[in-house]
Amino acid sequence: MGDTTMWWVLAGVLVALELLTGTFYLLMLSLGAVAAALAALAGYGLNTQLVAAAMVGGLGAVLLGQWRKRQTTTPQEVQDQHLDLGATVQVDAWDAHDSAQVKHRGAAWTAVLAPGQTATPGVYRIQAIAGNRLVLEKI
């Protein structure tokens, strides 16, 4: 079996592994194997094939990692997109742990105080949502 065939088989195996795992990094490495197969087809030696595989596969993986890093959102960005932020709720009473049960959108929610707030009954604004709790600030 020639070098070209071995590189094509390796590229196929990497694509199959990528389909099983769902990571695009293996797809980038398979592109490196394709580049090495093309170098072998062009008649270059094993050293050139290895360099082509490393350059294309490595560069692809690095570029994919940079792209994915830019695509991820921070928790604050997710929080900023939440439609309930800024809505108001009525707090009738706070318990000993500075939490309360409030009605919001027809459902009962557990509410907690934002840092620096005092527990008094009244109208509060939803400052943030922490898990399934509303973080409230006094209006």
Side-chain angles (χ1 to χ4, degrees):
M1 188 170 2
D3 287 346
T4 306
T5 305
M6 290 189 353
W7 284 114
W8 284 114
V9 168
L10 179 62
V13 167
L14 288 171
V15 168
L17 286 173
E18 188 277 325
L19 290 173
L20 291 173
T21 62
T23 63
F24 283 100
Y25 294 104
L26 289 174
L27 191 59
M28 297 300 115
L29 294 179
S30 70
L31 288 176
V34 168
L38 293 175
L41 191 62
Y44 290 104
L46 182 61
N47 288 339
T48 305
Q49 296 168 28
L50 290 171
V51 168
M55 294 294 289
V56 172
L59 183 64
V62 167
L63 291 176
L64 178 66
Q66 293 297 320
W67 179 77
R68 289 182 76 173
K69 189 183 295 184
R70 282 185 273 127
Q71 297 300 320
T72 58
T73 57
T74 64
Q76 184 60 43
E77 289 172 340
V78 172
Q79 188 75 274
D80 290 344
Q81 296 172 2
H82 208 290
L83 298 176
D84 292 326
L85 297 182
T88 58
V89 295
Q90 175 67 37
V91 176
D92 297 325
W94 293 94
D95 65 15
H97 302 290
D98 287 338
S99 66
Q101 293 296 317
V102 296
K103 283 281 212 181
H104 178 61
R105 290 190 178 204
W109 287 75
T110 300
V112 295
L113 284 170
Q117 300 289 317
T118 58
T120 58
V123 179
Y124 284 78
R125 177 180 296 118
I126 300 173
Q127 179 188 40
I129 297 178
N132 61 349
R133 293 179 172 198
L134 301 176
V135 179
L136 304 179
E137 64 182 352
K138 184 79 170 161
I139 294 180

